[in-house]
Every structure is written in C-alpha cells, then in structure tokens.
C-alpha cells in the first residue's frame, strides 16, 4: 500500500493497550500504520501496579505489560511518542484525511481513535491548591512519599480500592471515604480491603482539603448523621472515576453516548466513514483485555473497508 514518508493507510491516535494492539493488527494486515501518542506508550495502564486479570499473565505490572505490547507493536508498526494530535481534518466525501500533530502532519485513509480516559477531579476546595503537595491521583506514582503518614483515599471503585491497598502495603496509614454504603469495586478487592483492616468512612463526602503549604487535614460530612468531622491527613488520593478523552471526537462531530463516550458499531466503526474507535474512549467494560480486543477489531474493520 502507501509508501510516501508522511502518508499512511492507518493512523492510530493513542498508544495504550487498544492503540498498540490496533497497531499490531493494522500493520500485520499490510496497512502502513503509524501509532501516535501525546505522552509515552501505555496511558493509565502504566499506573497499574498489579494486573491479575489479563489472560496469559497471572500477575504482571502495568508498565511491564505495556513494555511487552509496545515491543511487539514496534515489530510491525511505526510508533511516535510525545507527539500529540492537534487536529484532524476529515472533510466529508474526501478519502484522505489530514492529521496535524505538535510536530508535523500526515495524511491517512483511516484513523482509529484510542484516546482513553482522563481522571475525574473531585471539585472541592483545596484540590487544585494542594496538587502535588499532598493531593495525588496516582498511588503508584506518589505513594512512596507517604510511608508512615496518614492518607485518605476517595472513591469506591476498583481504582480506589487498589490504590488504598497499595498505599497500605508501602506503609501508609490509610483510610477510605465513600459517598455510599456499598463499594462499587470487584468483590475480591472488597474482601482484600476488609482483610487489610482499612477504615472506611461510609456515606460520607469529602467537603474540603485544608492545609498551609501542604495538606494537613480533610473536612468530611457524614450524610447519615448529618455531622462534620475534620480528619488530620497528609495525603489525599482521589479516585472518583474517569471521563472520556474525547476532544478529537468532538472536533470530528462523531456520535457520542450520553456520557461522552464514542459510539461505535460492532466493528468499532464510528458515525464517520474511515474513523474507528477502540478502548476506554468507547466506554463499556473498561478492562485491558477488552481494549486490546477492540483495537484488533477496529484495525480489522479498517482493513476490510480499505482493501476488502
Ligand atoms: P469507577 O468504577 O467509575 O468508580 C468511581 C468511584 O468514585 C465510584 O465509587 C463513585 O461512587 C465515586 N465517585 C464518583 N464521583 C464522585 C464524587 N464526585 N465524589 C465522591 N465519589 C465519587 O472508576 P474507577 O475505579 O477509576 O474504575 C474505572 C474503570 O476501570 C472501571 O470500569 C473499573 O472496573 C476499571 N478498573 C479495573 C481495575 C481492575 O483491577 N480490574 C482497576 C482499575 C480500574 P459511586 O459508586 O457512588 O458511583
């Protein structure tokens, strides 16, 4: 297929598990494929200390898994890290699309958006002020600084529970606050949390993060008792979910669902011809194995539509 230096058959935007897998399948089918990422390969998977539900690996760290997938992708496709896509020009009824990045521009016949999600902010007083001075969204990145210190984890999903367990394991004094009386996390993580003896503030809302130069305490509101309590902590780890990284999808006027995730058909085709989406940016079951599968399907659809 195409051979010119800046012309590709397929450009994949985002080099997490979905994008890297799309790279493997696209390039192996004979499409000249480029995978671009504004950061380094891996996305949020890099922050996972332990992955124990990806078939073939009973236990593997996120970075290690990404290293392996990246090496495999690089056998077939071209990967450019630290090259964010700024705009995509895809006029209706024109077969070639233009992808403008921070470093250059490319032409392509097909695009797979695998842009993932971004972490949601809690939106309370003190959150922005103390970012990097006690506030974190990543236990694996920052947890080490909080050994032997009191920290509060916010949220009731898999990420919050995993974060809490990781922090306790490295020696922090951990408590968790959740807005309901039931966690959303997988049952086995809930059991691990219970066994670890981590205190949970149930039915409670974190109202404010207080401190001087660094975090010193959090103000909690117990909804059941309608009471407030100031709890001394030096760290706050926020895990209140994710939102789709959909700015390119919005730019392209792709059909999105009510929560902003890109709508696709079973072949990962979006509402625009030649544009596909895969992984967390499409919502659904947000697990690495699903992201990889969607990447493979998207690349196969691109091949079918271009060649088949
Ligand atoms: P999530 O499952 O959406 O959970 C977010 C948690 O934050 C929920 O418990 C939610 O409460 C709470 N929350 C949301 N907004 C809040 C607010 N404003 N104030 C207080 N609490 C708030 O997010 P996640 O844990 O980041 O997981 C994202 C996806 O990745 C999920 O599909 C998850 O299964 C997957 N994941 C899987 C693993 C794994 O080990 N397999 C690890 C990480 C992530 P409610 O429960 O009341 O809604």
């Amino acid at each position: 297929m195409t051979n010119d230096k800046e012309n590709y058959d397929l450009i994949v935007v985002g080099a997490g598990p979905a994008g890297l897998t799309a790279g493997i399948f696209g390039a192996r089918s004979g499409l000249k494929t480029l995978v671009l990422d504004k950061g380094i390969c891996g996305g949020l998977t890099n922050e996972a200390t332990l992955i124990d539900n990806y078939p073939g690996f009973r236990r593997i760290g996120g970075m290690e898994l990404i290293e392996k997938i990246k090496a495999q992708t690089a056998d077939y496709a071209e990967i450019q890290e630290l090259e964010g896509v700024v705009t995509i020009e895809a006029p209706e009824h024109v077969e070639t699309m233009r992808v403008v990045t921070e470093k250059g521009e490319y032409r392509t016949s097909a695009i797979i958006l695998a842009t993932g999600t971004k972490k949601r902010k809690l939106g309370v007083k003190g959150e922005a002020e103390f970012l990097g001075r006690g506030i974190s969204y990543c236990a694996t990145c920052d947890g080490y600084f909080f050994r032997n210190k009191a920290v509060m984890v916010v949220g009731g999903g898999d990420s919050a529970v995993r974060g809490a367990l990781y922090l306790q394991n490295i020696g922090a004094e951990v408590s968790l606050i959740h807005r309901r009386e039931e966690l959303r996390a997988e049952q086995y993580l809930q059991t691990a949390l219970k066994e670890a003896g981590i205190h949970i503030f149930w039915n409670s809302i974190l109202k404010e993060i207080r401190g001087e130069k660094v975090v010193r305490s959090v103000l909690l509101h117990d909804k059941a008792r309608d009471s407030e309590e100031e709890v001394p902590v030096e760290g706050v780890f926020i895990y209140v979910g994710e939102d789709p990284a959909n700015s390119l999808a919005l730019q392209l006027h792709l059909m999105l669902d009510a929560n902003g995730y890109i709508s696709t058909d079973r072949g990962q085709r979006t509402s625009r011809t030649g544009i596909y989406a895969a992984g967390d940016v499409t919502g659904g079951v947000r697990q690495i194995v699903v992201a990889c599968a969607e990447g493979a399907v998207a690349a196969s659809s691109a091949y079918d539509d271009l060649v088949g």
Side-chain angles (χ1 to χ4, degrees), residues 186-258:
E186 277 189 81
Q187 196 55 52
Y188 90 106
L189 287 173
Q190 295 193 31
T191 306
L193 193 71
K194 207 169 174 184
E195 282 170 0
I198 290 174
H199 177 72
I200 303 177
F201 291 89
W202 296 106
N203 264 317
S204 298
I205 304 276
L206 192 156
K207 284 185 73 180
E208 187 181 332
I209 298 157
R210 294 176 171 171
E212 292 110 45
K213 285 184 178 146
V214 294
V215 170
R216 292 281 176 232
S217 67
V218 284
L219 182 65
L220 311 185
H221 176 231
D222 183 323
K223 293 195 290 180
R225 294 191 190 135
D226 194 19
S227 60
E228 286 192 350
E229 181 182 0
E230 186 166 355
V231 178
V233 293
E234 292 184 56
V236 181
F237 286 80
I238 299 171
Y239 290 104
V240 292
E242 297 160 10
D243 290 314
N246 61 8
S247 57
L248 289 171
L250 286 168
Q251 211 183 83
L252 289 160
H253 304 290
L254 299 184
M255 193 185 288
L256 307 178
D257 72 12

Side-chain angles (χ1 to χ4, degrees), residues 1-2 8-14 17-35 69 72-79 108-112 276 278 291-308:
M1 302 214 76
T2 312
Y8 291 87
D9 301 313
L10 172 63
I11 290 185
V12 183
V13 186
L20 289 172
T21 309
I24 295 174
F25 279 76
R28 280 172 61 106
S29 69
L31 301 179
K32 186 182 179 211
T33 303
L34 170 66
V35 183
I69 304 178
Q72 196 173 357
T73 306
D75 283 345
Y76 307 105
E78 197 182 320
I79 302 172
T108 185
S109 306
I111 290 173
I112 296 175
Y276 310 78
C292 293
E294 289 185 2
V297 172
S300 303
S301 297
Y303 173 80
D304 287 346
D305 296 345
L306 287 174
V307 183

